[in-house]
Every structure is written in C-alpha cells, then in structure tokens.
Amino acid sequence: MSSIANPTAGNTPENLSYSHSTTTSFSSVSSIEVEPLSVLVSSRALIQSTLLAASIVISQVTGKITAIHNEILPSSHFPPGTTYHDYSPLVLLPGLVDAHVHLNEPGRTEWEGFYTGTRAAAFGGVTTVVDMPLNAIPPTTTVANLQEKVAAAEGKCWVDVGFYGGLIPGNTHELVPLVKAGVRGFKGFLIDSGVPEFPAISSLDISKALITLSNEPTVIMFHAEMTPPITASVGDEVQTSEPPLAPTGPLTAYSTFLDSRPPSLETYAIEEIISLAHLAPTTPLHIVHLSAVEAIPILRAASRNNIQITAETCFHYLSFAAESIPDGDTRHKCCPPIRNKANQDALWTELLSPTSTITSIVSDHSPCTPELKILPTSVDLQAAPHARAGDFFESWGGISSVGLGLPILFTEMRSRQLCSGLLAETLERIVRWCAAATAEQVGLDHRKGRLEVGWDGDVIAFDPEAQWTVEKSGLLFRNKCSPYQGRRLRGVVRATWLRGWRVFDGGVFEGGKPRGELLLEPRVLKKTA
C-alpha cells in the first residue's frame, strides 16, 4: 500500500501504486513529522476510466498525488492540519488541458491577458493552458520574444501555462533554441493569419522547419487552410478584407462567409503538409482546429502509411451549425468556419470511432475587443454604430470560450445520447479528448491529464446535474463577447485544485494571488518501439 506519510521525493509513477484499503490512523502517530497534505474525497471519482469512491492524497510540497484510495477515508485518518474536503456526490476529474488558447499578452492585452484568461480557465476546470504564438506583440517566434512573453506572464496565471513557438518565414534558426527554451511545440499558418507580425509560411518554409526539427522533441502544428491553384474560393484574406470577388449573397449573411471558405482550402493544405512529412518521419505533425470532414479520409490514409499526423477539433464545430447562425452575428466567425449540421454530425461520428484521426478537442479561445466584432444592434444593443456592422468579412475571426468546454461537450453528448447515456463513459471520453490527449500532444503527459499517483494534483469537482445559462455577466475572460451567450448548458465545475491547492471554489477564487506556474521544462524525446 502506498504510504501517505513522508512520501519520498524520489517517488515516481512506476514505484507508487493505488491503495485499495487502509487501517492506519494518524491519531496515534501525530508526533511523526509529515509533510502537509490536501485530501479530496468523493463518492464518485474518475479513476482509470471508472467511476468509484476515492480519496485522493496530494502533497502540498511537491504538488503531486501521493496516493489514491478507492474508498472515502475520514479526515481522522490523516495527520493533523491536513486540508480535507469531501465533495460527494460531485465527480472528481483530472484538470483539463486546453492546448490551444490565445492569451495575446503583451501587445494586445486589451484583447485578453494572462490574469483574465487563466481565471476563466480555472472557472471551467482547465488547470493547464498552452498559449499560441501569435496575436501578442511580439509573437513567440524568437527566444528573445519568448522571454518577453514569460516576463509578461509572471505572477498573473491562475493555472499552469505553457507556450508554443511560431513558424514564420525566416526564423528557422530560432526553432531549436526555442525547443531548448521550453516551448511545447510550433504553429504555422498556410494562409494569412490576420496579423502582420505572423505571416504565412510557404512549402519551402515547412520543408526547412521539418528538416531542422526532425530530431527534436516537439510537435509541429498547422493552421491548415490554403488556396488551391484553381478554386471557387473568394480568396485567402481572412480577418479584414475587401468584399468577396463574387459574393454568393449579402456580406452579413453567414452563408456568404461560409461559401468563401470551402472544405477544399483545408484538404489542399493538409495534402501539402502530408506530401512533405517524409522530411521528418518521426516528428509528430498536428492539424489544429479541423473543421471539414472531407479531410478525414486524407488523414486516415496518411496514418495507414505510417505518417505521424493527428488533428484536433473545437467546441464550436461540435456545438454550432451554419444553418442556425443568425445574419450579422459575427460572434460566430472563425477560420476555418463553422460548417453545416451534416458536417457537425460527421465530426462526432469520427470522434467516437476507435480509430479516430481526431485525437483532441480544444477551445481555440481567440478573443478580441467587442468593437472588432462590429456586431449590429440587433445582436448587441450596446454595439457602436458601424458602416459595416454585421459584416462577416470585416469583423475579426475568433471565438471566445476558454473554460466553457467541459459543460459544452457534456451538454452535447447528453443531448445526443452518446455513450448510451452512461455518465462514466461520457466523462471518460471528455477527459481523454480534453486532458489526456492534449497533455500528450504538448509533452506533459508525464504529469498532467490523469488522476494517478505521481502526477500533478490537478483535480476538479464537477456537478453533472446542474444546469445554467451562459450570461454576459458571468463570463470571466476579458471581453464578454461569445456566441455561447444565452446558451443553456448542463454541468458546472464547483471547485478547481491546482497541484494540491484550491484556486476556485463555489464562485470564489482562493489564495489572494495566482498560483499558476510557467511550464518551461524542455520536452524529452520519446523512445520509439
């Protein structure tokens, strides 16, 4: 049985095990010097894909889980001074890992910042976020820029934060130094990113990056949209652009915008990436925010050919459909776009497949100031007048949703009666998509994404029965502008614990100051079989 008194500093997941029962009481050994503990118990905890009663013991010194008992132990079982909370009948889950978040600080902090963005994450049970390399000024494309980003984040993070590096033309020489400085991976755009500091990369840039990073412990990720040589697309200008060359309807109609970003942009880009994969055959490649289901057969064929490529999708592609987006409601604009209901259903089908090419789900929290969304007063009574109000081509593209993902997915899965309606299977899949897989993607699966001995004590208490409506006043990210406003969701995170310390509980943020760490430990190259 794993000891919960004086666990040695050298304990690892390999030499610690789950405790199935116990008879020891600390009431008679109170004189023994023990490190301070946090103990979280509940009649329901998701342990190794199973819901069972559990007592989770976390060292407040190391922040690691030191024991998991599959029974509810009383507080008297533990040393005096132990922090003890019984969350029965709430469900204890591992903290989620959102591997795609734009925090935008420094430079565009008015869009979002580390303090507000990570508070919103903690509210929704996300205990780790990974910050995208663009939309801040400067972008994370050099080691010097990374250091500037880190300095801006110090002392402001309510959850743990990692960083991606950026792939842009001309920064190939910075890639290996960025790996050694601790970035979790790299991202590049095959189409205009919408900000001048982060230009799109060509096939030549991709080739150079693949060769340079072929023996490094990292992941290379792509915004996979690319204009084919011959296409019905209206062009590759994304965020602020002239009207389409041949619009199919009014510029305030979502269908007009959707027609401008056909699936061929995604499939062409993915085919281009796959054609270059031989330059780094063991380096993981990853397609961010996959939208078009037409790309799935391409990804499946690549996997059969032993190409190391995976994809993620986003909460909004799984919960919104093009047919229901009102004219002028630019809160829904993102790139790639939200597609039709049939596409959405096919994404769910793929996710539920045991051989799914979509391994993870992320928020792609990409906020901006409300003014940049240029909403019409029909959508927002407080919107400022604008000559092109509600224009999907003029507005900024990005959806704000960090911290909302767990109830969004839980609501969708329950309404679709997926997983036969079984609570354990539903939550196990969400945790796999939004914690275990995302942690693995960014090289943190040795410490994040699981309730397991030796892993970080990141634990959330989830109420699967509660229902609530997303209100503007309840949004914690900086700018209260999200297409989820007014949505009725099921499931609420009641408490969030980070490495054994409670950071959020019942609407209150604990501790007076953020406890989040900046995750700059260099990745380790995994051994292949």
Side-chain angles (χ1 to χ4, degrees), residues 207-249:
S207 298
K208 290 178 180 178
L210 290 171
I211 293 169
T212 300
L213 294 170
S214 60
N215 294 312
E216 298 296 327
T218 194
V219 59
I220 306 178
M221 310 185 305
F222 301 94
H223 180 125
E225 286 184 289
M226 193 175 183
T227 308
I230 300 174
T231 176
S233 170
V234 299
D236 63 354
E237 303 238 333
V238 181
Q239 311 298 351
T240 57
S241 63
E242 295 301 317
L245 299 179
T248 58

Side-chain angles (χ1 to χ4, degrees), residues 102-121:
H102 296 264
L103 293 174
N104 301 353
E105 187 175 7
R108 288 192 176 95
T109 311
E110 72 275 12
W111 292 16
E112 188 61 276
F114 289 102
Y115 190 91
T116 50
T118 57
R119 270 171 62 97

Side-chain angles (χ1 to χ4, degrees), residues 344-380:
Q344 182 192 84
D345 293 342
L347 287 174
W348 275 111
T349 299
E350 177 67 11
L351 274 166
L352 295 170
S353 166
T355 58
S356 177
T357 58
I358 304 174
T359 56
S360 57
I361 309 175
V362 296
S363 70
D364 188 11
H365 176 66
S366 185
C368 65
T369 59
E371 292 77 18
L372 293 176
K373 280 293 186 183
I374 56 170
L375 289 166
T377 54
S378 60
V379 175
D380 184 354

